[in-house]
Amino acid sequence: MTSPLIERAEQRDYQKLFIQDLNWSKPDHPPVTVEHEGRSVTATNVSSYKGLRVWVADEKPDSKLEAALDQHLAKSSTDRILIFHDDTEQVWRWPVRRAVGNTTTTRLSRHRHRNGDTDPHFAEKLDVIRLPFDTLLDSNAVLAKVRQAFDVEAHNETKHASKLMARLYSAMEKAYPAATPRADRDHEISVTLARILFLMFGDDTDMWDPHLFSDFIRDHTQPDGSDIGAQLTALFDYLDTPDDQRGTPRPGLEGFRYVNGRIFTERVTLPVLNAEFRTAVLEACDRDWASISPAIFGSMFQSVRDAETRRQLGEHYTSEENILKTLNPLFLDELRAELEHIRTLGKYEADRLRKLRDKLGRIRYMDPACGCGNFIIVAYRELRDLELAIMERLQEITGDNPMLLANVGLKVTLDHFYGIEIDEWPARIAETAMFLVDRQCDLKLTAALGYAPDRLPIQEQATIVVGNALRTDWTLVCPPSEDTIVAGNPPFLGHVSRSAQQSEELRDLWRRDDIGRLDYATGWYAQALQYFSVHNGKWAFVSTNSIVQGEPVAPLFQQVFQRGWRIRFAHRTFPWESEAVGAATVHCVILGFDRSDSPPPRLFDYVGRDAVPQEVHVTRINAYLTDSPNVLVEQRRSRLSSQLSTVSFGSRPNDGGNFVVGPEQYEIVAADPIARKYLRRFIGSKELLHNVDRWCLWLVDASETDLIQSPVLRERVGGCRQHRLASKRPATREWAQWPSLFDFNSQPTKPYLCIPGVVSEHRPFFIASRFEPDVIASNAVFTTVDPDGFQFAIVSSSMFLTWQLTIGGRLESRPRFSNTIVWNNLPLPPVEAELRQRIIAAGRAVEGARAQRPDRSLAQHYVANAMTPELIEAHANLDVLVDRALGSTAPCETERERQQVLFARYDELTAGLLGAPRRGRRNR
Ligand SMILES: C[S@@+](CC[C@H](N)C(=O)[O-])C[C@H]1O[C@@H](n2cnc3c(N)ncnc32)[C@H](O)[C@@H]1O
């Protein structure tokens, strides 16, 4: 059933609709007529409310005339609704604002309603802007309602568009015979959908008469969709044929222009399609594609491709928000600031504006893992917006003819943009999308200056190279210069998931055999260093946060810093969000580099889980993304701090499970009086954290007689021998000679501290516990002698957790303890005797607080927000003392403060300032 509000709108009695049904007020402005290029259009003010005006034009003019009218109306009412209509449809337009840096840009959003459609979205919108008849609202409240109705539409467009494309994709997929090779099918669907997108944009962006493509589908294909494949094929051919070779067009093709470029060149034979596909195309045509950002194409196509293909190629599409987090601090903010500054220069302004425009024209931008081109698209759009702002200002102050300005030629052009992508289909989408964003920028140019270049047939295109970016010489794709910018989001493939071939690529690029834990994405860093070996460009990559944690940091950043690059800006770890359905969950950082001292570096921090970046003031950024000396922490065989004792791996049974006794076997083993003598508690990470019972047979002191006389020991020791003999490792086979012993025994002979190898990233502290030497520590944990509890206190402090999280590695996302990286490098300076005693006592208080709840395992004790008040207090007291021991003058409040203290001590200790030998590398 059609809503009464829609019925009224369809009667085109807008005055009644607004005044009677929606409770707005009477009009307060006479009609306005605007002329442009010999044509005119009149708009009538039908209703108003506190400065907001509703205007109606009884026609649908072309975009230039429409823009001229809107510009005129904008002078008297910033916020306005402008309705154009003819007999069949009405188009409601509303300026949507978007904050970019310190400025706000405005673009017209539109809702198109075809008469006769039930169109629930339209009914909802009208309902939202209905005002209460008995209360007077202030202008802000009314504005908020109108924005709620119309701005929301702009935000939701992306999602709707993704869904429509997914529908088209699956409708096409079903039409292919099962025998079609999948790669061929995917390729053809991708090519076709890219073309359909282009055509829908064409309908909405004045490439030809409005609705030409949708009318072609509606009027020149059968309702059952049986000939739509053939008709589309004919249309694609026609679009690829130059005017002088066209002959007489088939019915429906008149009006389509020659496109050129590669978009329609490849011959694709479409399968027999159906009504479902045809309906999906027509519904997609009904959207307003002019205002949909082509940057979403990546996520659009991600939604329809299966997760496995996506993982193989490391595709995790970047939202526009994250792209701007990369591009703004890398170069856009600086350009915008320059524009703002120029505006204050008085008589020099025009000259400097022209120079800034020339500078924009020299910029070259390359994304070497460009996917569907979203980074290049956004970079292009933002630079075009800047150029437009300059042109508008020039027109304002010089009165220069905008036609002339535009005729001089735009400085920011598609051929300044480059991409490399290994997968062919997204590369194709990227090429098409660049053309579409160009079109959108031209519409803005028309709206602002009343003129835009005619782009058909296509003359200029972005260069998208299909190939492996790690085997491609980037200088051949885009020759580097001081004005070249490289930025993108290379694939997220950790050292575990990279293939043998990808490892080989990394070895070649880093020119080393040992690439250890280097992420595949570091290959892009190596390429960027090579690419910019001579030139001082700027570059930035989104990467998983593994590149700023643990072992990979030193080998990667040594290379970066040695070549004179600094971190120009960084976004610290934030959770990755993608607009696509089924998006991967990862944690990312964004790092940008230049070889300059200015502007000052910028650091963006994320506090809490809401992922909102906060810019913090810094003077430098080191490889761990803290405002600290530029140290690189490497593996170290001995401890940097004289206060710490040696940490070793626990003991390794290598027994095929024969020494290990679980709860279900305990009774049987303990029933053997000889075996029982040798049963010991056996601790790994799980036992430590979750109080799980486990034992082992610890036969270090077992006599030959016991080993022979006990049936249990005979069987288990025999089993261990067999297990070792069957091993492929010669060293293990050799250990078969001593089948009653663990093959690595590091069991402490004094009370010791047991440190788990891995803990959950959600623990508020790194959890460790002390044991007597008769409890055997497995090789899943680390141990260090700790007779007085000092080591326990240190590991239990927030300072230690901060160090672990900052420089330690991870197993997936869980912090992974390491003696060589984390412990041996912990920069604890000499601690005075009295402070040491107080730290030990504070550590005991932590143990005491744990003991007050013997029913809780350590895992239960250390649940964030569920710790007992006693335990929280004990840790807080301990933290104050350990902060002081590390040299902090006041208790640290945040992780960043602790990081600064830790790196300052590390810098001093490794420089030998605090009595320790000079070790580790420093880059300044
Ligand atoms: C994380 S996605 C980023 C895509 C796009 N820029 C975005 O942000 O949505 C990484 C892209 O790199 C591509 N890729 C993977 N390995 C590549 C290689 N060796 N050379 C070039 N591109 C590669 C993938 O196909 C994928 O499109």
Side-chain angles (χ1 to χ4, degrees):
M1 207 183 74
T2 312
S3 120
L5 292 178
I6 294 191
E7 266 175 31
R8 181 83 85 189
E10 289 186 357
Q11 288 156 9
R12 283 173 272 153
D13 195 343
Y14 299 104
Q15 194 150 45
K16 259 200 191 136
L17 172 71
F18 273 86
I19 297 176
Q20 285 186 13
D21 300 334
L22 303 178
N23 304 318
W24 286 50
S25 309
K26 289 194 186 120
D28 59 0
H29 201 287
V32 165
T33 301
V34 170
E35 281 192 13
H36 187 76
E37 294 178 349
R39 287 159 300 134
S40 69
V41 58
T42 300
T44 312
N45 174 214
V46 293
S47 172
S48 298
Y49 198 96
K50 310 234 168 166
L52 270 120
R53 293 201 177 103
V54 183
W55 298 89
V56 175
D58 296 331
E59 60 181 295
K60 287 197 340 228
D62 67 19
S63 61
K64 286 182 195 161
L65 194 51
E66 190 181 301
L69 174 63
D70 187 63
Q71 271 173 24
H72 186 91
L73 298 180
K75 288 180 195 153
S76 62
S77 45
T78 326
D79 295 297
R80 60 211 173 269
I81 296 171
L82 183 49
I83 305 167
F84 299 95
H85 70 95
D86 61 15
D87 290 344
T88 55
E89 68 171 16
Q90 46 195 279
V91 181
W92 289 51
R93 308 217 66 177
W94 164 258
V96 172
R97 293 182 216 328
R98 185 170 75 93
V100 177
N102 295 330
T103 51
T104 305
T105 66
T106 303
R107 69 181 169 80
L108 285 179
S109 177
R110 100 173 107 174
H111 183 92
R112 190 156 62 200
H113 173 73
R114 271 179 196 273
N115 294 346
D117 284 356
T118 38
D119 199 349
H121 291 308
F122 189 39
E124 277 163 26
K125 271 183 222 314
L126 294 177
D127 208 36
V128 170
I129 58 171
R130 192 201 300 262
L131 307 180
F133 67 90
D134 51 354
T135 323
L136 270 185
L137 293 185
D138 66 23
S139 56
N140 285 338
V142 181
L143 193 59
K145 274 177 167 289
V146 179
R147 289 220 167 113
Q148 187 194 343
F150 288 87
D151 287 10
V152 166
E153 158 132 352
H155 292 304
N156 289 341
E157 272 164 5
T158 307
K159 282 192 183 141
H160 285 300
S162 290
K163 281 195 188 142
L164 285 167
M165 291 313 292
R167 255 185 80 190
L168 279 174
Y169 201 107
S170 59
M172 260 193 100
E173 207 174 21
K174 279 188 225 153
Y176 271 86
T180 311
R182 194 172 149 184
D184 295 354
R185 183 197 69 192
D186 284 355
H187 168 81
E188 290 184 5
I189 298 177
S190 305
V191 171
T192 307
L193 292 195
R195 290 174 178 180
I196 290 176
L197 265 177
F198 179 93
L199 289 159
M200 292 189 298
F201 263 81
D203 268 9
D204 291 336
T205 59
D206 281 352
M207 273 193 241
W208 40 68
D209 286 345
H211 312 314
L212 188 63
F213 174 61
S214 60
D215 289 347
F216 173 75
I217 299 292
R218 198 182 319 271
D219 302 337
H220 296 275
T221 62
Q222 297 296 329
D224 65 0
S226 55
D227 66 346
I228 190 170
Q231 285 293 73
L232 280 173
T233 306
L235 172 60
F236 296 163
D237 277 352
Y238 190 70
L239 289 162
D240 198 45
T241 310
D243 290 346
D244 56 357
Q245 297 166 29
R246 279 183 149 179
T248 314
R250 284 191 193 198
L253 295 184
E254 316 87 351
F256 283 107
R257 301 179 59 192
Y258 170 48
V259 171
N260 198 17
R262 285 183 287 270
I263 300 175
F264 292 96
T265 305
E266 184 184 335
R267 178 89 201 194
V268 171
T269 313
L270 297 176
V272 177
L273 294 158
N274 52 25
E276 185 188 344
F277 178 77
R278 181 176 180 273
T279 311
V281 174
L282 285 173
E283 271 184 33
C285 285
D286 270 349
R287 285 229 77 76
D288 175 17
W289 290 89
S291 51
I292 289 180
S293 166
I296 67 155
F297 289 170
S299 72
M300 240 187 217
F301 282 89
Q302 185 184 4
S303 304
V304 293
R305 279 190 120 199
D306 68 281
E308 195 195 331
T309 320
R310 217 156 50 225
R311 207 169 16 249
Q312 278 165 10
L313 293 168
E315 289 173 31
H316 297 75
Y317 286 102
T318 319
S319 63
E320 182 159 338
E321 188 190 346
N322 285 331
I323 295 171
L324 286 170
K325 276 186 202 167
T326 313
L327 304 185
N328 282 341
L330 185 63
F331 70 109
L332 290 172
D333 282 346
E334 202 177 356
L335 291 169
R336 291 187 194 115
E338 192 172 338
L339 176 58
E340 287 310 308
H341 171 67
I342 290 174
R343 281 165 166 274
T344 64
L345 294 183
K347 65 178 178 171
Y348 303 108
E349 185 183 350
D351 182 47
R352 289 286 302 278
L353 283 171
R354 288 188 194 99
K355 288 195 170 123
L356 180 59
R357 221 182 136 204
D358 289 342
K359 183 167 163 181
L360 299 188
R362 287 195 300 274
I363 290 176
R364 298 291 178 273
Y365 181 95
M366 173 163 68
D367 176 354
C370 70
C372 294
N374 48 4
F375 275 78
I376 334 179
I377 289 164
V378 174
Y380 180 73
R381 185 194 68 202
E382 296 296 315
L383 285 175
R384 282 282 306 263
D385 278 357
L386 258 169
E387 184 173 12
L388 179 56
I390 297 172
M391 289 163 77
E392 282 182 299
R393 181 68 186 152
L394 273 172
Q395 184 191 7
E396 219 173 283
I397 58 177
T398 64
D400 279 353
N401 182 335
M403 297 273 285
L404 207 66
L405 278 173
N407 271 338
V408 165
L410 289 164
K411 302 282 179 181
V412 180
T413 51
L414 287 181
D415 54 335
H416 296 174
F417 291 76
Y418 301 80
I420 308 176
E421 168 56 46
I422 201 162
D423 192 5
E424 192 229 335
W425 74 266
R428 197 173 285 269
I429 305 284
E431 265 171 11
T432 309
M434 280 301 274
F435 186 74
L436 301 181
V437 75
D438 195 34
R439 216 38 231 157
Q440 289 179 325
C441 294
D442 286 350
L443 287 186
K444 280 192 225 165
L445 188 65
T446 313
L449 301 182
Y451 171 84
D454 185 4
R455 301 290 187 179
L456 288 182
I458 292 174
Q459 308 292 333
E460 282 159 355
Q461 271 188 288
T463 306
I464 311 290
V465 172
V466 178
N468 182 342
L470 300 191
R471 294 287 190 209
T472 301
D473 180 351
W474 293 5
T475 63
L476 300 179
V477 178
C478 167
S481 77
E482 309 284 307
D483 299 302
T484 307
I485 287 152
V486 170
N489 177 7
F492 297 163
L493 286 178
H495 67 280
V496 181
S497 39
R498 65 178 184 231
S499 68
Q501 186 200 322
Q502 289 166 334
S503 299
E504 193 58 37
E505 289 163 17
L506 279 193
R507 275 187 212 102
D508 291 347
L509 285 171
W510 287 116
R511 300 202 179 108
R512 51 193 281 179
D513 287 337
D514 173 21
I515 46 160
R517 291 176 179 274
L518 282 176
D519 213 280
Y520 186 50
T522 64
W524 274 258
Y525 286 69
Q527 281 284 62
L529 294 176
Q530 178 66 28
Y531 178 71
F532 283 125
S533 52
V534 179
H535 297 93
N536 294 334
K538 296 188 185 84
W539 51 287
F541 292 124
V542 180
S543 317
T544 51
N545 61 357
S546 59
I547 67 154
V548 291
Q549 291 168 349
E551 278 169 45
V553 180
L556 171 62
F557 284 90
Q558 253 153 33
Q559 299 293 328
V560 174
F561 295 143
Q562 268 168 18
R563 288 168 165 81
W565 297 95
R566 68 158 182 162
I567 300 181
R568 175 188 167 94
F569 78 89
H571 277 266
R572 304 183 86 198
T573 300
F574 63 95
W576 186 250
E577 277 175 20
S578 162
E579 278 159 11
V581 182
T585 37
V586 275
H587 286 85
C588 285
V589 290
I590 307 175
L591 306 184
F593 301 89
D594 67 13
R595 278 197 184 109
S596 169
D597 288 336
S598 66
R602 297 174 71 185
L603 183 63
F604 299 87
D605 201 6
Y606 292 77
V607 182
R609 290 172 178 231
D610 49 359
V612 180
Q614 290 171 9
E615 186 161 359
V616 280
H617 174 77
V618 292
T619 51
R620 61 200 161 169
I621 302 174
N622 75 4
Y624 302 94
L625 309 191
T626 69
D627 180 3
S628 306
N630 212 358
V631 296
L632 292 172
V633 180
E634 291 182 274
Q635 286 192 330
R636 177 185 290 275
R637 271 176 227 248
S638 59
R639 287 144 292 128
L640 185 57
S641 168
S642 58
Q643 307 296 302
L644 302 177
S645 50
T646 307
V647 164
S648 335
F649 280 110
S651 302
R652 186 177 55 205
N654 198 357
D655 61 336
N658 286 289
F659 295 151
V660 183
V661 178
E664 68 293 348
Q665 302 154 335
Y666 182 82
E667 291 300 327
I668 303 166
V669 176
D672 177 329
I674 300 177
R676 180 202 197 108
K677 287 195 294 179
Y678 301 106
L679 272 175
R680 300 280 181 279
R681 274 184 71 197
F682 190 43
I683 298 286
S685 288
K686 202 159 133 203
E687 292 72 31
L688 176 78
L689 298 173
H690 297 274
N691 271 358
V692 176
D693 284 334
R694 200 165 62 137
W695 298 263
C696 70
L697 289 164
W698 187 249
L699 302 170
V700 177
D701 298 323
S703 65
E704 273 303 309
T705 324
D706 278 357
L707 291 176
I708 293 166
Q709 284 187 349
S710 156
V712 168
L713 295 188
R714 265 205 319 276
E715 186 192 334
R716 293 208 169 221
V717 171
C720 176
R721 180 188 290 113
Q722 291 310 319
H723 164 76
R724 289 182 184 168
L725 285 173
S727 170
K728 286 189 185 141
R729 273 183 74 227
T732 305
R733 287 201 300 276
E734 207 182 325
W735 268 91
Q737 295 175 62
W738 299 282
S740 61
L741 301 179
F742 278 40
D743 81 340
F744 175 68
N745 174 358
S746 59
Q747 181 60 19
T749 52
K750 292 185 186 155
Y752 69 93
L753 178 67
C754 180
I755 307 168
V758 174
V759 297
S760 155
E761 70 274 28
H762 302 303
R763 302 283 177 211
F765 293 94
F766 204 89
I767 310 170
S769 195
R770 293 203 305 144
F771 291 97
E772 293 301 314
D774 63 347
V775 176
I776 309 301
S778 86
N779 58 335
V781 294
F782 291 81
T783 65
T784 185
V785 290
D786 189 21
D788 60 5
F790 182 73
Q791 313 295 319
F792 168 82
I794 297 298
V795 172
S796 304
S797 68
S798 293
M799 218 23 129
F800 176 79
L801 183 69
T802 303
W803 186 243
Q804 165 70 53
L805 294 177
T806 308
I807 62 112
R810 306 253 172 164
L811 190 67
E812 289 151 4
S813 54
R814 290 167 293 153
R816 190 168 46 85
F817 179 86
S818 137
N819 48 356
T820 51
I821 290 264
V822 178
W823 186 254
N824 289 348
N825 280 303
L826 185 67
L828 177 64
V831 182
E832 282 174 12
E834 193 215 328
L835 180 56
R836 185 183 166 95
Q837 285 313 317
R838 290 182 64 193
I839 289 174
I840 291 169
R844 293 242 163 85
V846 169
E847 289 181 298
R850 289 178 181 178
Q852 285 182 27
R853 290 293 302 269
D855 55 313
R856 284 192 172 186
S857 66
L858 286 178
Q860 288 164 333
H861 261 306
Y862 288 93
V863 174
N865 302 327
M867 287 169 64
T868 62
E870 296 76 25
L871 192 55
I872 292 173
E873 192 186 339
H875 272 285
N877 293 337
L878 174 65
D879 278 348
V880 171
L881 298 169
V882 178
D883 286 354
R884 192 186 307 162
L886 262 294
S888 175
T889 44
C892 298
E893 304 268 329
T894 63
E895 185 183 70
R896 265 194 347 111
E897 284 174 20
R898 290 204 167 89
Q899 286 169 329
Q900 283 173 352
V901 170
L902 284 159
F903 281 115
R905 290 303 83 74
Y906 184 85
D907 196 34
E908 291 160 4
L909 279 174
T910 50
L913 296 182
L914 300 175
R918 192 194 152 107
R919 292 265 174 87
R921 301 232 183 142
R922 297 140 55 81
N923 294 276
R924 287 179 193 280

